[in-house]
């Protein structure tokens, strides 16, 4: 089911040029997004592309991005 939902979201984005807003606590889902903003207590704590955030924080996985950001707060 999850795979079919993501396929449909990608189709809407690519074929119909729709902008899609996704909220999730699942980091592997967040990593599939083109751009993202991470929130904590209602404030944006990081934003950018998943690749740029991994580079910025010097980590390999997107889970590590979140852990590193939270550790800095």
């Amino acid at each position: 089911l999850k795979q079919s939902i993501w396929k449909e979201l990608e189709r809407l984005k690519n074929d119909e040029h729709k902008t899609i807003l996704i909220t999730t606590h699942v980091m592997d889902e967040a990593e599939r997004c083109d751009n993202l903003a991470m929130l904590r207590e209602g404030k944006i704590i990081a934003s950018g592309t998943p690749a740029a955030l991994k580079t910025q924080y010097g980590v390999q996985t997107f889970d590590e991005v979140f852990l590193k950001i939270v550790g800095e707060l």
Side-chain angles (χ1 to χ4, degrees), residues 29-58:
E29 289 181 352
E31 192 166 9
R32 295 181 74 160
C33 297
D34 296 329
N35 291 287
L36 55 91
M38 296 178 118
L39 303 172
R40 181 154 181 161
E41 297 178 0
K43 294 184 170 66
I44 295 174
I45 58 173
S47 64
T49 67
L53 289 169
K54 285 193 281 189
T55 299
Q56 179 180 343
Y57 289 95

Side-chain angles (χ1 to χ4, degrees), residues 42-72:
K43 294 184 170 66
I44 295 174
I45 58 173
S47 64
T49 67
L53 289 169
K54 285 193 281 189
T55 299
Q56 179 180 343
Y57 289 95
V59 296
Q60 297 295 314
T61 71
F62 206 63
D63 283 320
E64 291 174 297
V65 171
F66 179 74
L67 292 173
K68 207 146 197 201
I69 292 168
V70 170
E72 293 177 357

